[in-house]
Structures are given as structure tokens and as C-alpha cells.
Amino acid sequence: MLILGLKEGHDGGIVAIEDGKLLFALEAEKDNYPRYERVTAELVTRAAGMLDRVPDVVALSGWVKGLHSVEPPTRAGYFGVGDNAIQDEAGRFFGKDVRIFSSTHERSHIMTAYGMAPGTAGKAYYSLVWEGSIGSFYRIDESGRVTHLEHVMKDPGNKYAYLFSLADPKHPVGTGFFNYSHAGKQMALTAFARNRPTTKAEQETIDFILKQDGIVLGLSKEEMSWSHIFNAGVESESTATSRRSTRRRSSSVSTTTPRRTSPKGCHC
């Protein structure tokens, strides 16, 4: 069986698997395309050229019609692990009858880890999803059925990345902005952390960030649009510089509530 899989949204990619063997894996950002690039026409054309026949299954990642995970779904959508987390239906692809398969983004996180775990067949496993929007525990039974066990934290990845955004003088002030690279930069800085007690201001900042819940729901349609995000992201250095004093005051947390940014759509 030949399966062609396409991942929508940021960090887009295309893979082909035949009878359990990976034929190729293409990432949209490679060959000097922008980081976190979505699937492009160039990538689809390249993948098609690497196949010698039409696939038996076209697998489409569940995603959203927009930027944030709470927006209307495409295919199986972003959230869910129950009976509605999978779509498997008959379809057509370049004139051939195929199966069109889709799994929610949440379930895809779980099954990716499950598929890479050693000796999973016939065994029950537990899984933790800790990504941009989702922080939960799950159980995978002997037949591969997923059950949600416990919600731990909302938006763990977004909150983690926000700490860097809070300190970045070039990051726009206000809601509805994020930077995909901030999580990685925060991870890099963690390597230089010093083992010392947390200060009062640091603990207040941590507590404020962790208690935020569902702030994306307060955004307007205009704030949630791609153009708003990217237009704000290219503001001039002079504008960013003029905001530094305000940002530094807000980051102390002692008297000013830190500004808030909205969660990103996946960040996975």
C-alpha cells in the first residue's frame, strides 16, 4: 500500500510510505525557503515527481482555517482523540479511486510517538502531549485506541515561548502576535541558566504566565488574521526601540501587568 501524507500549516511537509517503508520525507522550509514554511506548490510538484504511481491513500493532517488552533477546522481538525478524531472515506486523486484519511492534530502527536516507540504492537502505552496549545495525558490501549486521561495545562508551548517574547524589545506590544522562533531561542538560553533561587519578580512573572487561560478567544477576527501578524512582525527598528522602556517596565511585574500575546495555531 502506498500512502502519501501532507501536513498543513507551519512546518509543512510531505511524506510517502509504501508497505511500512519510508520512501521520502520533504520539508517545505528546506532549500532556502522561509523557516516554518507551509506546503507549497513547488513541494507538491517535487513529491509527485518522486512517485511512480498514484497513491492508494492520501493522508491529510487535521488543521484549521486560519492561524489559531481554535479557528474552524479543516478535515479532522486540531483537537480530539475520540471517535470523531479520524476521517476515512472514499475519494478520487488524479482520476484514481483512493482512500482519503485524516487524523486530528492532537491525535497525530500521540500516534507519531506511539509509532516510534519500541515494540508497541499489542501493548498499552501512556502518552503526554506538550505542544503549543495542548498539555494532556493519554492512554493508548492494546488495540491502539486513544483515551484522554487528564488535562494538565492549557497552551504550555505558547506560555514557554512567551517568556522570550516578553523580554524581546523587537516583539510587538499587544495581543495577537507571536514569533515561531522564540520557543527555540528560549530553549537555547536555558542551557546557560544559573542554579540559584528564583527572585520575587521572576516568580511573579512565571505565575502570571502560567495562570493565563484561553486568551486567544478574546481576539478579534482582524487580530487573528495572517496579515495582522506579519505586518506587525516587520515593524521598523526605530519603532521597536521607542517601545523598549515601556516593555522593560512591564516585565518587572511588580506594579504593571505583563502584556499578553495569543497562542499560535500548533505549534508541534
Side-chain angles (χ1 to χ4, degrees):
M1 177 181 289
L2 178 60
I3 302 171
L4 181 68
L6 299 92
K7 193 274 180 184
E8 289 193 79
H10 67 87
D11 298 317
I14 303 177
V15 301
I17 300 174
E18 186 168 23
D19 298 331
K21 179 182 178 180
L22 178 65
L23 302 183
F24 61 77
L26 306 177
E27 297 179 69
E29 71 175 13
K30 293 298 190 291
D31 297 329
N32 293 322
Y33 277 86
R35 291 184 68 189
Y36 321 109
E37 180 69 286
R38 292 175 168 232
V39 169
T40 62
E42 167 64 25
L43 198 70
V44 173
T45 302
R46 183 180 173 192
M50 297 173 70
L51 295 175
D52 59 7
R53 62 186 176 90
V54 175
D56 302 296
V57 179
V58 177
L60 305 174
S61 66
W63 201 244
V64 294
K65 296 176 180 177
L67 181 63
H68 299 284
S69 57
V70 296
E71 295 191 79
T74 61
R75 289 291 171 174
Y78 198 96
F79 298 103
V81 297
D83 294 337
N84 296 323
I86 295 175
Q87 295 178 359
D88 190 355
E89 59 192 43
R92 299 278 291 173
F93 193 75
F94 287 99
K96 179 185 175 182
D97 292 332
V98 299
R99 286 171 54 199
I100 306 295
F101 177 88
S102 182
S103 170
T104 63
H105 185 73
E106 182 174 7
R107 182 181 176 278
S108 295
H109 272 295
I110 299 166
M111 299 312 294
T112 298
Y114 180 67
M116 292 190 294
T120 55
K123 295 182 181 180
Y125 274 76
Y126 291 95
S127 174
L128 171 66
V129 174
W130 204 251
E131 56 108 72
S133 299
I134 303 169
S136 287
F137 278 107
Y138 310 81
R139 183 178 187 273
I140 311 168
D141 69 16
E142 292 79 359
S143 63
R145 183 180 179 86
V146 181
T147 302
H148 180 267
L149 295 179
E150 188 70 27
H151 170 74
V152 181
M153 182 185 295
K154 186 176 181 64
D155 304 319
N158 301 326
K159 291 171 180 176
Y160 184 84
Y162 173 71
L163 186 60
F164 190 96
S165 301
L166 187 66
D168 183 2
K170 296 181 181 180
H171 192 74
V173 175
T175 59
F177 307 103
F178 63 79
N179 187 315
Y180 285 125
S181 69
H182 281 183
K185 291 177 179 179
Q186 180 66 25
M187 292 177 194
L189 287 177
T190 301
F192 297 96
R194 290 171 291 177
N195 186 17
R196 59 177 176 78
T198 304
T199 67
K200 182 175 183 294
E202 289 169 344
Q203 191 60 55
E204 288 176 343
T205 302
I206 294 169
D207 292 341
F208 173 84
I209 294 173
L210 292 182
K211 75 179 182 181
Q212 300 306 305
D213 187 29
I215 55 179
V216 68
L217 299 178
L219 296 179
S220 67
K221 283 291 185 181
E222 189 273 334
E223 286 178 314
M224 292 172 71
S225 69
W226 277 106
S227 60
H228 177 75
I229 301 297
F230 288 122
N231 288 340
V234 296
E235 67 173 358
S236 66
E237 174 64 23
S238 61
T239 303
T241 301
S242 69
R243 295 180 173 179
R244 286 175 183 168
S245 60
T246 302
R247 187 180 311 284
R248 286 168 181 164
R249 286 197 300 272
S250 69
S251 64
S252 69
V253 188
S254 57
T255 58
T256 305
T257 300
R259 60 184 178 78
R260 303 184 300 176
T261 59
S262 67
K264 62 182 176 178
C266 150
H267 300 300
C268 37

PDB file of all heavy atoms in Angstrom, residues 4 14-17 21-26 46-48 50-51:
ATOM      1  N   LEU A   4       0.490   8.648   0.718  1.00  0.00           N
ATOM      2  CA  LEU A   4       1.063   9.984   0.567  1.00  0.00           C
ATOM      3  C   LEU A   4       0.465  10.867   1.658  1.00  0.00           C
ATOM      4  O   LEU A   4      -0.754  11.047   1.718  1.00  0.00           O
ATOM      5  CB  LEU A   4       0.745  10.571  -0.813  1.00  0.00           C
ATOM      6  CG  LEU A   4       1.321  11.958  -1.098  1.00  0.00           C
ATOM      7  CD1 LEU A   4       2.847  11.899  -1.203  1.00  0.00           C
ATOM      8  CD2 LEU A   4       0.728  12.534  -2.384  1.00  0.00           C
ATOM      9  N   ILE A  14       5.701  16.760   3.294  1.00  0.00           N
ATOM     10  CA  ILE A  14       5.058  15.684   2.543  1.00  0.00           C
ATOM     11  C   ILE A  14       5.910  14.425   2.686  1.00  0.00           C
ATOM     12  O   ILE A  14       7.139  14.483   2.583  1.00  0.00           O
ATOM     13  CB  ILE A  14       4.924  16.038   1.048  1.00  0.00           C
ATOM     14  CG1 ILE A  14       4.135  17.343   0.878  1.00  0.00           C
ATOM     15  CG2 ILE A  14       4.240  14.910   0.287  1.00  0.00           C
ATOM     16  CD1 ILE A  14       4.018  17.793  -0.570  1.00  0.00           C
ATOM     17  N   VAL A  15       5.268  13.294   2.952  1.00  0.00           N
ATOM     18  CA  VAL A  15       5.980  12.026   3.053  1.00  0.00           C
ATOM     19  C   VAL A  15       5.275  10.973   2.206  1.00  0.00           C
ATOM     20  O   VAL A  15       4.078  11.085   1.922  1.00  0.00           O
ATOM     21  CB  VAL A  15       6.075  11.517   4.510  1.00  0.00           C
ATOM     22  CG1 VAL A  15       6.789  12.513   5.390  1.00  0.00           C
ATOM     23  CG2 VAL A  15       4.685  11.190   5.061  1.00  0.00           C
ATOM     24  N   ALA A  16       6.024   9.955   1.820  1.00  0.00           N
ATOM     25  CA  ALA A  16       5.454   8.800   1.126  1.00  0.00           C
ATOM     26  C   ALA A  16       5.942   7.538   1.818  1.00  0.00           C
ATOM     27  O   ALA A  16       7.136   7.410   2.115  1.00  0.00           O
ATOM     28  CB  ALA A  16       5.858   8.784  -0.343  1.00  0.00           C
ATOM     29  N   ILE A  17       4.996   6.630   2.114  1.00  0.00           N
ATOM     30  CA  ILE A  17       5.304   5.367   2.784  1.00  0.00           C
ATOM     31  C   ILE A  17       4.678   4.241   1.984  1.00  0.00           C
ATOM     32  O   ILE A  17       3.501   4.305   1.626  1.00  0.00           O
ATOM     33  CB  ILE A  17       4.759   5.344   4.221  1.00  0.00           C
ATOM     34  CG1 ILE A  17       5.384   6.472   5.043  1.00  0.00           C
ATOM     35  CG2 ILE A  17       5.005   3.994   4.871  1.00  0.00           C
ATOM     36  CD1 ILE A  17       4.796   6.615   6.426  1.00  0.00           C
ATOM     37  N   LYS A  21       7.538   1.137   4.630  1.00  0.00           N
ATOM     38  CA  LYS A  21       8.871   1.684   4.360  1.00  0.00           C
ATOM     39  C   LYS A  21       8.761   3.142   3.926  1.00  0.00           C
ATOM     40  O   LYS A  21       7.992   3.481   3.037  1.00  0.00           O
ATOM     41  CB  LYS A  21       9.569   0.877   3.269  1.00  0.00           C
ATOM     42  CG  LYS A  21      10.964   1.405   2.923  1.00  0.00           C
ATOM     43  CD  LYS A  21      11.596   0.592   1.799  1.00  0.00           C
ATOM     44  CE  LYS A  21      12.964   1.143   1.433  1.00  0.00           C
ATOM     45  NZ  LYS A  21      13.588   0.359   0.331  1.00  0.00           N
ATOM     46  N   LEU A  22       9.533   4.013   4.571  1.00  0.00           N
ATOM     47  CA  LEU A  22       9.552   5.426   4.214  1.00  0.00           C
ATOM     48  C   LEU A  22      10.302   5.617   2.900  1.00  0.00           C
ATOM     49  O   LEU A  22      11.481   5.275   2.789  1.00  0.00           O
ATOM     50  CB  LEU A  22      10.227   6.248   5.314  1.00  0.00           C
ATOM     51  CG  LEU A  22      10.371   7.756   5.054  1.00  0.00           C
ATOM     52  CD1 LEU A  22       9.002   8.422   4.979  1.00  0.00           C
ATOM     53  CD2 LEU A  22      11.236   8.409   6.124  1.00  0.00           C
ATOM     54  N   LEU A  23       9.620   6.168   1.892  1.00  0.00           N
ATOM     55  CA  LEU A  23      10.246   6.425   0.593  1.00  0.00           C
ATOM     56  C   LEU A  23      10.936   7.780   0.563  1.00  0.00           C
ATOM     57  O   LEU A  23      12.042   7.916   0.053  1.00  0.00           O
ATOM     58  CB  LEU A  23       9.192   6.347  -0.514  1.00  0.00           C
ATOM     59  CG  LEU A  23       8.428   5.034  -0.652  1.00  0.00           C
ATOM     60  CD1 LEU A  23       7.478   5.110  -1.845  1.00  0.00           C
ATOM     61  CD2 LEU A  23       9.386   3.851  -0.792  1.00  0.00           C
ATOM     62  N   PHE A  24      10.267   8.797   1.097  1.00  0.00           N
ATOM     63  CA  PHE A  24      10.884  10.123   1.189  1.00  0.00           C
ATOM     64  C   PHE A  24      10.106  10.990   2.183  1.00  0.00           C
ATOM     65  O   PHE A  24       8.947  10.711   2.498  1.00  0.00           O
ATOM     66  CB  PHE A  24      10.961  10.822  -0.175  1.00  0.00           C
ATOM     67  CG  PHE A  24       9.630  11.072  -0.834  1.00  0.00           C
ATOM     68  CD1 PHE A  24       8.797  12.109  -0.430  1.00  0.00           C
ATOM     69  CD2 PHE A  24       9.229  10.281  -1.905  1.00  0.00           C
ATOM     70  CE1 PHE A  24       7.584  12.344  -1.067  1.00  0.00           C
ATOM     71  CE2 PHE A  24       8.010  10.509  -2.537  1.00  0.00           C
ATOM     72  CZ  PHE A  24       7.187  11.545  -2.115  1.00  0.00           C
ATOM     73  N   ALA A  25      10.792  12.009   2.677  1.00  0.00           N
ATOM     74  CA  ALA A  25      10.179  12.999   3.573  1.00  0.00           C
ATOM     75  C   ALA A  25      10.698  14.366   3.157  1.00  0.00           C
ATOM     76  O   ALA A  25      11.910  14.618   3.223  1.00  0.00           O
ATOM     77  CB  ALA A  25      10.517  12.710   5.030  1.00  0.00           C
ATOM     78  N   LEU A  26       9.817  15.223   2.693  1.00  0.00           N
ATOM     79  CA  LEU A  26      10.186  16.550   2.204  1.00  0.00           C
ATOM     80  C   LEU A  26       9.644  17.615   3.157  1.00  0.00           C
ATOM     81  O   LEU A  26       8.482  17.567   3.544  1.00  0.00           O
ATOM     82  CB  LEU A  26       9.619  16.779   0.802  1.00  0.00           C
ATOM     83  CG  LEU A  26       9.954  15.732  -0.256  1.00  0.00           C
ATOM     84  CD1 LEU A  26       9.250  16.074  -1.563  1.00  0.00           C
ATOM     85  CD2 LEU A  26      11.463  15.630  -0.459  1.00  0.00           C
ATOM     86  N   ARG A  46       7.350  18.473  -6.547  1.00  0.00           N
ATOM     87  CA  ARG A  46       8.541  17.658  -6.325  1.00  0.00           C
ATOM     88  C   ARG A  46       8.159  16.272  -5.810  1.00  0.00           C
ATOM     89  O   ARG A  46       8.706  15.256  -6.258  1.00  0.00           O
ATOM     90  CB  ARG A  46       9.460  18.351  -5.330  1.00  0.00           C
ATOM     91  CG  ARG A  46      10.765  17.609  -5.078  1.00  0.00           C
ATOM     92  CD  ARG A  46      11.630  18.367  -4.087  1.00  0.00           C
ATOM     93  NE  ARG A  46      12.803  17.602  -3.721  1.00  0.00           N
ATOM     94  CZ  ARG A  46      13.613  17.921  -2.714  1.00  0.00           C
ATOM     95  NH1 ARG A  46      13.353  19.009  -1.999  1.00  0.00           N
ATOM     96  NH2 ARG A  46      14.654  17.186  -2.432  1.00  0.00           N
ATOM     97  N   ALA A  47       7.208  16.216  -4.884  1.00  0.00           N
ATOM     98  CA  ALA A  47       6.774  14.931  -4.340  1.00  0.00           C
ATOM     99  C   ALA A  47       6.130  14.070  -5.418  1.00  0.00           C
ATOM    100  O   ALA A  47       6.398  12.857  -5.508  1.00  0.00           O
ATOM    101  CB  ALA A  47       5.784  15.165  -3.191  1.00  0.00           C
ATOM    102  N   ALA A  48       5.292  14.686  -6.250  1.00  0.00           N
ATOM    103  CA  ALA A  48       4.636  13.936  -7.324  1.00  0.00           C
ATOM    104  C   ALA A  48       5.658  13.339  -8.291  1.00  0.00           C
ATOM    105  O   ALA A  48       5.499  12.229  -8.797  1.00  0.00           O
ATOM    106  CB  ALA A  48       3.662  14.836  -8.078  1.00  0.00           C
ATOM    107  N   MET A  50       8.508  12.226  -7.578  1.00  0.00           N
ATOM    108  CA  MET A  50       9.259  11.154  -6.943  1.00  0.00           C
ATOM    109  C   MET A  50       8.448   9.871  -6.818  1.00  0.00           C
ATOM    110  O   MET A  50       8.974   8.847  -6.377  1.00  0.00           O
ATOM    111  CB  MET A  50       9.740  11.607  -5.555  1.00  0.00           C
ATOM    112  CG  MET A  50      10.710  12.782  -5.602  1.00  0.00           C
ATOM    113  SD  MET A  50      11.131  13.438  -3.970  1.00  0.00           S
ATOM    114  CE  MET A  50      12.137  12.100  -3.320  1.00  0.00           C
ATOM    115  N   LEU A  51       7.179   9.914  -7.199  1.00  0.00           N
ATOM    116  CA  LEU A  51       6.321   8.732  -7.147  1.00  0.00           C
ATOM    117  C   LEU A  51       6.175   8.128  -8.541  1.00  0.00           C
ATOM    118  O   LEU A  51       6.103   8.860  -9.532  1.00  0.00           O
ATOM    119  CB  LEU A  51       4.937   9.099  -6.597  1.00  0.00           C
ATOM    120  CG  LEU A  51       4.884   9.585  -5.150  1.00  0.00           C
ATOM    121  CD1 LEU A  51       3.467  10.011  -4.799  1.00  0.00           C
ATOM    122  CD2 LEU A  51       5.366   8.502  -4.188  1.00  0.00           C
TER     123      LEU A  51
END
